[in-house]
């Protein structure tokens, strides 16, 4: 690893000397302060954990256990850490930015509407929204990641004698509903014991609704939370709903072919989005809500949420056993946005809005949205043109209480390493080592949202930026620390080199090793940043 050669042309090669990873000056200074004669003892390590890392309850046993876990790196100093081993500890997997032992530490006894809920959208799709396969595999993967809301679009099969899950009016291949339900039962509580909500986008006839009711009852049995046909007056708490499955959909009604034709006509209209905004993750900017309420959104994925539960004609055709399974009623009502956001003191419900509907509603009904979400659930789903299954900026919904989406903080970005091991040496640049820079910032309420950039370090697999950033926060409860690394490219778009997103309120202070992930969220094997977090 001492030298690396790049071919520039047929007869000419460039050779670069590769620098070894070296502890930054801050780390050396701290080691000197908490060591004696080049060795950090167990007691000195405990003091470091308490005073620098903010681990106030760290004991001598904790420090000794930490040393024992790294003794294979410390063969020359059995009685403590030397600088090299201390640096390896700081940059290692045993020193993450979030406490792996923290577990659930919030009060989980408030109503369900008081919590943000990890929510999936079109949870059954293996890829894009137009032509990918539908499968139970993405559902299983989502549950293993901790997703608590699974969405299923249910349609009659070609013979109208069974129920499939698919993205309607597209080329997506279907999967049987029963297969998805069984997979949910088998994997619902692998990552968490808290309830799983299944939201059904229902396009069924009453006889098939009855069939779905039978499937759900037989599959989930006693773990199904089914309060009966009446709407809940208040949502139960997550604690009381542990290991329960909850069904949420609009009350059943007659399957109207004329309505389906109308939806198809709407689908034929082209999406016109002139805002020019990119998917969240490319660049988080203050959102600019659209002012023209009459503009056609062309919402390909619009959800059929009209609430006709009180319509006597509709109730004549419903499947009563299906209605009794619905624990969380969904629906918009007959009026406009003001009517949709009315708070009923006698019942709670779920409202679904597209990201465009939400952005428009915030302009005139921001307070009504906050008031609504204090008792009810608000789900925000991506706009229809996101055929590639990209995501919208969730902070827009979170800051208004949508569940189903003051101090200063300093961040010192010391250095990064690991790309050399996880990528080919020509991955970023065919002619030289990479030129890395980091972007660090806050995703949160508009007043807190900001991104800052380090200098670019040329031709270096182990960039040492050693730069300090300070972020004043007004609403730290909703703030996320965004971290990205890119490789500068003079002639083309800069190459992506890793990312992470961490909740500010969960960050551990002190010097921490921050793992980076690929665009899809999969953690790299070796790539990390060494950073220091201080709250002042």
């Amino acid at each position: 690893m001492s030298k690396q050669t790049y071919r520039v042309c047929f007869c000419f090669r460039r050779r670069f000397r590769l620098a070894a990873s070296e502890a930054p000056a801050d780390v050396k200074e701290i080691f000197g302060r908490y060591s004696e004669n080049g060795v950090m003892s167990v007691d000195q390590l405990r003091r470091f954990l308490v005073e620098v890392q903010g681990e106030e309850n760290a004991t001598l046993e904790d420090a000794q256990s930490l040393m024992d876990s790294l003794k294979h790196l410390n063969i020359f100093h059995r009685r403590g850490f030397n600088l090299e081993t201390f640096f390896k500890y700081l940059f290692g997997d045993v020193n993450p930015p979030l406490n792996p032992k923290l577990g659930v530490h919030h009060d989980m006894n408030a109503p369900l509407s008081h919590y943000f809920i990890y929510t999936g959208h079109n949870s059954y799709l293996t890829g894009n929204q137009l032509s990918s396969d539908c499968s139970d595999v993405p559902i299983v993967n989502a549950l293993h990641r901790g997703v608590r809301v699974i969405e299923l679009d249910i349609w009659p099969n070609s013979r109208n004698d069974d129920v499939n899950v698919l993205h309607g009016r597209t080329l997506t291949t279907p999967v049987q509903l029963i297969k998805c339900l069984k997979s949910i039962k088998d994997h619902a509580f692998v990552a968490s014991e808290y309830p799983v909500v299944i939201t059904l986008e229902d396009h069924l006839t009453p006889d098939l609704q009855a069939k779905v009711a039978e499937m759900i009852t037989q599959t989930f049995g006693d773990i199904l939370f089914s309060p009966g046909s009446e709407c809940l007056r208040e949502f139960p708490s997550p604690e009381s709903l542990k290991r329960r499955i909850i069904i949420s959909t609009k009350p059943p009604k007659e399957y109207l072919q004329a309505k389906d034709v109308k939806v198809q006509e709407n689908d034929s209209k082209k999406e016109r989005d002139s805002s020019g905004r990119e998917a969240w993750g490319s660049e988080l900017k203050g959102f600019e809500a659209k002012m023209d309420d009459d503009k056609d959104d062309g919402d390909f994925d619009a959800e059929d949420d009209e609430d006709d539960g009180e319509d006597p004609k509709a109730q004549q055709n419903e499947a009563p056993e299906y209605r009794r399974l619905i624990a969380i009623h969904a629906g918009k009502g007959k009026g406009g946005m003001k009517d949709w956001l009315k708070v009923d003191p006698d019942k709670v419900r779920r409202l679904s809005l597209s990201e465009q509907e939400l952005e428009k509603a915030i302009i005139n009904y921001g307070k009504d949205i906050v008031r609504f979400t204090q008792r009810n659930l608000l789900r925000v789903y991506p706009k229809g043109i996101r055929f590639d299954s990209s995501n919208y900026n969730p902070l827009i919904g979170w800051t208004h209480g949508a569940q189903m989406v003051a101090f200063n903080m300093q961040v010192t970005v010391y250095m990064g390493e690991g790309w050399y091991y996880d990528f080919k040496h020509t991955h970023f640049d065919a002619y030289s080592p990479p030129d890395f820079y980091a972007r660090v910032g806050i995703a949160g309420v508009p007043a807190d949202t900001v991104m800052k950039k380090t200098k670019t370090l040329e031709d270096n697999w182990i960039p040492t930026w050693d730069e300090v950033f300070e972020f004043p926060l007004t609403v730290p409860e909703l703030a996320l620390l965004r971290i990205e690394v890119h490789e500068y490219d003079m002639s083309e778009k800069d190459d992506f080199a890793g990312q992470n997103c961490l909740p500010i309120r969960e960050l551990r202070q002190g010097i921490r090793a921050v793992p980076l992930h690929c665009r899809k969220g999969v953690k790299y094997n070796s790539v990390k940043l060494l950073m220091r977090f201080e709250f002042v």
Side-chain angles (χ1 to χ4, degrees):
M1 186 179 166
S2 60
K3 293 184 179 179
Q4 200 169 65
T5 301
Y6 292 80
R7 183 191 296 271
V8 177
C9 62
F10 181 75
C11 59
F12 180 62
R13 295 171 183 262
R14 300 176 72 192
R15 178 168 291 187
F16 294 86
R17 182 178 299 277
L18 299 180
S21 181
E22 183 180 351
D26 269 10
V27 172
K28 292 178 179 177
E29 187 275 328
I30 288 172
F31 180 79
R33 198 190 325 156
Y34 290 91
S35 66
E36 188 173 353
N37 298 322
V39 178
M40 178 183 286
S41 67
V42 173
D43 183 61
Q44 289 166 328
L45 175 59
R46 185 197 66 81
R47 286 179 45 228
F48 166 77
L49 294 175
V50 173
E51 296 172 11
V52 178
Q53 302 294 78
E55 300 176 28
E56 297 177 356
N57 298 320
T59 64
L60 283 173
E61 290 75 17
D62 295 330
Q64 185 64 61
S65 176
L66 187 59
M67 281 197 172
D68 291 343
S69 69
L70 297 169
K71 60 185 178 182
H72 61 288
L73 301 175
N74 204 34
I75 59 176
F76 299 111
H77 294 278
R78 293 294 187 184
R79 56 194 179 90
F81 282 165
N82 61 9
L83 174 60
E84 181 182 359
T85 309
F86 178 65
F87 178 47
K88 288 180 178 178
Y89 145 65
L90 290 177
F91 228 146
D93 294 333
V94 296
N95 186 37
L98 305 181
N99 187 349
K101 299 179 182 179
L102 191 60
V104 177
H105 57 287
H106 296 115
D107 178 9
M108 303 302 288
N109 292 294
L112 196 64
S113 55
H114 289 209
Y115 301 86
F116 295 127
I117 307 173
Y118 193 1
T119 301
H121 176 66
N122 291 347
S123 310
Y124 49 85
L125 287 177
T126 59
N128 68 65
Q129 308 275 317
L130 292 177
S131 60
S132 66
D133 293 334
C134 301
S135 168
D136 64 324
V137 174
I139 295 173
V140 172
N141 292 338
L143 291 169
H144 279 250
R145 291 196 305 271
V147 170
R148 297 291 88 189
V149 180
I150 298 294
E151 181 192 32
L152 302 176
D153 288 342
I154 49 178
W155 296 79
N157 68 353
S158 58
R159 297 184 303 276
N160 288 316
D161 62 357
D162 202 358
V163 181
N164 283 335
V165 173
L166 75 153
H167 199 205
R169 296 178 289 276
T170 68
L171 299 177
T172 55
T173 57
V175 59
Q176 284 187 310
L177 172 63
I178 188 63
K179 186 175 184 180
C180 295
L181 295 178
K182 288 180 178 178
S183 291
I184 291 173
K185 180 186 178 183
D186 292 341
H187 299 271
F189 307 111
V190 170
S192 170
E193 288 191 314
Y194 289 104
V196 169
V197 179
I198 303 175
T199 63
L200 299 176
E201 290 304 319
D202 174 4
H203 306 274
L204 302 177
T205 55
D207 60 321
L208 287 179
Q209 288 176 342
K211 189 177 181 73
V212 169
E214 183 180 3
M215 286 184 197
I216 290 174
T217 302
Q218 291 183 355
T219 301
F220 297 116
D222 292 341
I223 67 172
L224 186 67
F225 176 73
S226 182
S229 59
E230 297 300 320
C231 288
L232 292 168
R233 291 179 61 89
E234 185 178 61
F235 289 119
S237 70
E239 192 68 30
S240 69
L241 293 170
K242 275 186 172 180
R243 302 191 72 85
R244 303 298 292 272
I245 300 292
I246 304 172
I247 303 298
S248 177
T249 186
K250 59 186 179 295
K253 62 183 179 181
E254 184 177 6
Y255 186 79
L256 299 176
Q257 184 177 3
K259 186 169 188 176
D260 191 44
V261 171
K262 181 180 178 181
V263 173
Q264 291 186 41
E265 291 172 353
N266 289 338
D267 285 345
S268 67
K269 297 178 182 179
K270 293 183 178 180
E271 174 72 31
R272 297 194 300 271
D273 183 5
S274 61
S275 64
R277 287 168 293 150
E278 298 178 345
W280 186 70
S282 299
E283 185 64 45
L284 182 63
K285 300 177 180 177
F287 66 90
E288 298 175 1
K290 300 174 189 175
M291 298 295 292
D292 184 4
D293 284 345
D294 297 325
K295 182 177 178 180
D296 169 33
D297 289 330
D299 200 346
F300 177 86
D301 202 30
E303 298 189 11
D304 183 16
D305 257 2
E306 290 85 352
D307 184 359
D308 59 0
E310 305 303 321
D311 186 346
K313 293 181 180 179
Q315 292 188 24
Q316 291 173 7
N317 296 282
E318 71 180 35
E321 58 272 47
Y322 181 71
R323 170 180 279 269
R324 282 194 292 270
L325 295 180
I326 304 172
I328 301 177
H329 285 225
K332 286 182 176 175
K334 298 295 185 182
M337 185 64 68
K338 187 76 173 177
D339 190 50
W340 296 352
L341 294 170
K342 278 185 179 177
V343 177
D344 190 327
D346 296 321
K347 62 181 181 181
V348 290
R349 60 191 172 94
R350 171 175 67 85
L351 172 66
S352 287
L353 297 177
S354 71
E355 58 177 294
Q356 293 138 312
E357 286 176 320
L358 177 68
E359 290 177 6
K360 292 176 181 177
I362 286 171
I363 299 171
N364 297 316
Y365 303 106
K367 292 182 180 179
D368 298 279
I369 297 172
V370 173
R371 192 176 300 113
F372 178 85
T373 55
Q374 289 173 350
R375 271 182 50 80
N376 302 279
L377 296 176
L378 175 59
R379 177 174 176 269
V380 184
Y381 59 94
K383 60 187 177 183
I385 62 165
R386 294 189 184 274
F387 299 135
D388 60 352
S389 298
S390 60
N391 287 317
Y392 57 93
N393 174 4
L395 272 305
I396 298 172
W398 288 344
T399 54
H400 288 79
Q403 299 89 346
M404 295 178 165
V405 281
F407 53 79
N408 287 339
M409 177 191 172
Q410 291 182 342
V411 180
T412 304
V413 186
Y414 288 125
M415 59 187 298
E417 72 168 13
W419 291 280
Y420 180 88
Y421 302 103
D422 290 352
F423 295 89
K424 294 181 179 179
H425 80 285
T426 56
H427 176 86
F428 296 105
D429 193 322
Y431 306 112
S432 67
D435 308 326
F436 288 128
Y437 65 88
R439 300 177 70 240
V440 182
I442 301 296
V445 299
D448 292 345
T449 300
V450 65
M451 286 298 284
K452 299 181 180 181
K453 176 179 175 294
T454 69
K455 57 183 175 289
T456 300
L457 297 182
E458 296 182 356
D459 302 334
N460 200 327
W461 282 101
I462 306 175
T464 301
W465 298 288
D466 203 2
E467 296 189 38
V468 179
F469 302 98
E470 184 170 312
F471 303 105
L473 301 177
T474 57
V475 189
E477 294 84 357
L478 292 178
L480 301 173
L481 178 68
R482 286 185 61 200
I483 304 162
E484 300 174 0
V485 177
H486 298 266
E487 197 272 338
Y488 174 74
D489 194 318
M490 185 181 297
S491 57
E492 299 178 0
K493 184 178 179 180
D494 292 352
D495 294 315
F496 175 84
Q499 64 177 346
N500 205 331
C501 197
L502 303 166
I504 295 294
R505 293 304 291 262
E506 305 294 333
L507 275 178
R508 299 199 289 175
Q509 78 170 55
I511 303 171
R512 304 292 177 181
V514 179
L516 296 188
H517 302 70
C518 71
R519 287 190 183 277
K520 293 183 178 181
V522 179
K523 187 163 73 76
Y524 292 129
N525 292 328
S526 309
V527 180
K528 299 185 188 76
L529 297 184
L530 189 66
M531 304 180 70
R532 183 171 186 174
F533 308 118
E534 296 179 272
F535 302 96
V536 295

